[in-house]
Amino acid sequence: MRGTTRRGFVAGLAGAGVAGAASAAAAAQETETDDGGGTADGGAAGGGGGGQPDFDGWFEGVGNYTGEVVDLRDDSDPEVQVGTEANGGAFGFGPPAVHVENGATLTWTWTGEGCPHNVVEDEEVFDSGEPGCEGVGPFEYTFEEDGIYPYVCEPHVQLGMKGAVVVGTDYPTVDTGGGGGGGPGIPQVPDAARTLGVATGVAMAATLGLTYLFVKYGGDYGEFEEA
């Protein structure tokens, strides 16, 4: 209809832009709701119960530690060998890192190689006594608290004869959240905010562009009335 005013035409375009931006905002909000702000199972970075145990450099220089923690939680008689081949001789615990249930009794059994050996927890939570050979073993200890228990063979600790027992579910874990160290991180813009910003910018640019084109080149609109 040729009686449309220029101001009404421009207002219509602006309204379309606002509607587009509102739709984008609704879509962004829906995406944010779908994605959620937390984990449904309540898991937390740095907590225990399934993450990689944080040994805090304990196994540096230990030749037979490959990063694996052997799961013995379903084993009714969990056992570690004392004097397995490692670190240039029979100077290893096998396996060096194990995971047991709280309440489990772990047994250390001497192989008879590379003696004398003993088993001493880093804070003396458990101690098999004076180093020896088969005669000093087996040694048993029942764990009653969750955590990580690092231990050594005193005569061969300098060679890398170390081990660790992970107990239960409440133990330090390696932080895989990407936080990192060494200063503050770069602030991250939420996905929903980025989506809304882009959609709003596109809507505004389209509105202004169409307004300019139609006003300048749109032809005869007839008599424009003052609104």
Side-chain angles (χ1 to χ4, degrees), residues 138-153:
F139 169 67
E140 296 180 347
Y141 183 79
T142 300
F143 293 91
E144 298 179 349
E145 292 186 14
D146 288 9
I148 296 177
Y149 296 81
Y151 63 91
V152 303
C153 167

Side-chain angles (χ1 to χ4, degrees), residues 159-177:
L159 296 177
M161 192 167 178
K162 296 181 177 182
V165 183
V166 181
V167 179
T169 60
D170 185 12
Y171 54 85
T173 59
V174 176
D175 183 9
T176 58

Side-chain angles (χ1 to χ4, degrees), residues 15-102:
V18 172
S23 298
Q29 181 65 35
E30 181 178 357
T31 301
E32 184 177 11
T33 302
D34 291 342
D35 291 343
T39 56
D41 58 4
Q52 174 68 24
D54 186 0
F55 295 115
D56 195 24
W58 178 253
F59 283 111
E60 291 181 5
V62 178
N64 63 327
Y65 176 67
T66 62
E68 179 185 9
V69 179
V70 178
D71 192 350
L72 301 180
R73 286 174 291 180
D74 292 331
D75 195 329
S76 59
D77 297 303
E79 181 181 9
V80 172
Q81 297 290 314
V82 181
T84 59
E85 190 65 27
N87 305 302
F91 308 126
F93 293 105
V98 298
H99 193 171
V100 300
E101 291 284 10
N102 193 326

